[in-house]
């Protein structure tokens, strides 16, 4: 594929998230946005008018003209749409979670291998500016705490909050902790939908790290915090602001040119603080660029189908623990 070759892309499902995919594809140089398909003709015609792009009547006709598509349809439809696209020689970026069923995700991996196609999963927080200065390879967490809270919205309630919101933090957790899971306990409740709307889980890893994840879609306010505690360090990541703060617990004075400032001293114990300057950028643009780059350069995207499957397996274990708990 020549450097000047432009990848022909399309978007299936142009509701809340799909319309941003359409918008951001227009900002990427080596891409031609061929058009969109949505089962709701009113929605697709509005987006087509806004971005001056073609509406396709069927998924088949869209993927016939595209080399790659974003799948932004409800989670329960990801499998059918992705299967059809992969089998028609299309690379796919599937919004999170990869599917709503483990067997389906495994099948998609097999099909993508058979057709030599890229699957990227839309775990967008991996591209969040708040993470950009964090070197995940250097982290040795002992304890992780995450809170992802949102006000209620019927969108996304085709799945439990664990697949809808907590899945972001499960994916982050698995990318930060390099150890196998030893034990999961969880609890959760339905509040406004007929699925689990609030959930909490404690995940223990073989290396001793413990994670406590909380997700709710019936909260008054939005909150998206991920806190990493290491032996002598605490990092507080705010995905909404976005912002990253680090506290160091030191037995020596801070060096003169250190970016850290002293916030507390008691005898020879120091607490130092640093707020990372975060460059602002659009995480979705970066995610889509990563997708296109992995197609052009035949390399794995940052978030692979295997990552999507791993997050899904943990999500289902959490749901199983919640169901067991609710039967007591
Ligand atoms: P939405 O309901 O706003 O939009 C979905 C659109 O898909 C609708 O316009 C609907 O008409 C269309 N549709 C339904 N079935 C279809 C099919 N078979 N083929 C084509 N179009 C179809 O939902 P949303 O909030 O945009 O969510 C879509 C997906 O994106 C979900 O999987 C969700 O989990 C994910 N999502 C991810 C993030 C993130 O942070 N990465 C945020 C929100 C949603």
């Amino acid at each position: 594929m020549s450097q000047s070759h432009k990848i022909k892309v399309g978007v299936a499902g142009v509701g809340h998230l799909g319309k941003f995919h359409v918008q951001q594809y227009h900002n990427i140089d080596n891409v031609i946005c061929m058009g969109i398909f949505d089962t709701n003709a009113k929605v697709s015609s509005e987006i087509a008018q806004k971005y001056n792009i073609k509406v396709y009547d069927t998924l088949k006709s869209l993927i016939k003209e595209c080399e790659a598509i974003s799948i932004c349809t409800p989670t329960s439809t990801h499998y059918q749409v992705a299967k059809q696209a992969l089998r028609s020689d299309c690379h796919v970026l599937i919004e999170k979670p990869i599917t709503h069923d483990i067997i389906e995700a495994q099948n998609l991996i097999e099909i993508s291998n058979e057709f030599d196609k890229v699957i990227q999963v839309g775990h967008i927080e991996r591209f969040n500016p708040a993470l950009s200065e964090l070197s995940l390879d250097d982290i040795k967490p002992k304890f992780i705490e995450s809170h992802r809270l949102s006000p209620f919205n019927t969108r996304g309630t085709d799945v439990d909050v664990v697949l809808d919101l907590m899945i972001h933090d499960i994916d982050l957790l698995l990318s930060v902790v390099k150890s196998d899971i030893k034990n999961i306990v969880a609890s959760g409740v339905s509040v406004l939908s007929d699925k689990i709307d609030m959930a909490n889980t404690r995940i223990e890893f073989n290396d001793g790290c413990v994670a406590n994840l909380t997700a709710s879609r019936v909260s008054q306010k939005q909150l998206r915090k991920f806190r990493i505690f290491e032996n002598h360090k605490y990092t507080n990541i705010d995905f909404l602001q976005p912002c990253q703060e680090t506290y160091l617990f030191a037995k020596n004075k801070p060096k003169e040119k250190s970016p850290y400032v002293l916030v507390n001293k008691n005898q020879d114990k120091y607490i130092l603080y640093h707020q990372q300057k975060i460059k602002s950028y659009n995480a979705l643009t970066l995610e889509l660029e990563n997708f296109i780059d992995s197609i052009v350069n035949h390399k794995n995207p940052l978030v692979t189908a295997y990552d999507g499957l791993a997050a899904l397996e943990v999500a289902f274990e959490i749901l199983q623990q919640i169901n067991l708990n609710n039967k007591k």
Side-chain angles (χ1 to χ4, degrees), residues 10-195:
V11 179
V14 286
H16 171 71
L17 202 64
K19 65 176 183 289
F20 295 119
H21 281 240
V22 174
Q23 183 191 55
Q24 293 309 318
Y25 274 132
H26 282 85
N27 294 334
I28 302 177
D29 283 345
N30 54 342
V31 152
I32 302 177
C33 193
M34 301 301 290
I36 56 176
F37 166 66
D38 195 295
T39 45
N40 184 332
K42 189 170 169 276
V43 169
S44 49
S45 93
E46 274 170 22
I47 300 300
Q49 266 187 5
K50 184 165 180 195
Y51 294 99
N52 194 22
I53 48 169
K54 181 171 170 181
V55 176
Y56 290 81
D57 292 341
T58 59
L59 178 65
K60 193 176 170 190
S61 56
L62 173 72
I63 54 188
K64 196 169 160 229
E65 289 194 21
C66 293
E67 295 164 88
I69 62 163
S70 282
I71 300 176
C72 308
T73 58
T75 301
S76 45
T77 66
H78 286 181
Y79 177 64
Q80 289 303 336
V81 177
K83 186 170 73 167
Q84 198 178 338
L86 289 167
R87 286 194 169 149
S88 304
D89 243 5
C90 247
H91 304 280
V92 294
L93 192 168
I94 310 174
E95 262 309 330
K96 56 67 9 197
I98 179 167
T99 54
H100 71 158
D101 179 288
I102 288 174
I103 305 277
E104 289 181 350
Q106 289 166 339
N107 284 346
L108 288 184
I109 291 175
E110 271 181 31
I111 300 169
S112 72
N113 289 338
E114 187 187 336
F115 287 80
D116 194 20
K117 293 291 145 215
V118 172
I119 299 182
Q120 179 167 349
V121 183
H123 288 293
I124 194 165
E125 296 296 36
R126 294 254 218 127
F127 297 89
N128 191 300
L131 273 189
S132 60
E133 301 298 328
L134 198 69
S135 169
L136 294 184
D137 290 340
D138 298 339
I139 292 179
K140 292 191 180 57
K142 303 300 285 178
F143 176 61
I144 289 179
E145 170 109 66
S146 84
H147 283 97
R148 188 169 294 262
L149 316 180
S150 278
F152 187 68
N153 191 319
T154 48
R155 274 189 305 104
T157 52
D158 59 328
V159 293
D160 296 284
V161 73
V162 177
L163 293 191
D164 181 22
L165 298 183
M166 191 185 273
I167 195 93
H168 283 294
D169 299 308
I170 297 171
D171 170 67
L172 286 169
L173 182 67
L174 298 182
S175 72
V176 167
V177 183
K178 315 277 182 303
S179 175
D180 290 335
I181 290 177
K182 188 167 113 188
N183 192 37
I184 295 180
V185 288
S187 63
V189 284
S190 290
V191 183
L192 292 176
S193 78
D194 59 355
K195 300 264 185 344

Side-chain angles (χ1 to χ4, degrees), residues 290-301:
N290 183 245
F291 178 47
I292 300 302
D293 184 46
S294 61
I295 296 168
V296 173
N297 295 307
H298 302 282
K299 57 184 198 190
N300 283 334

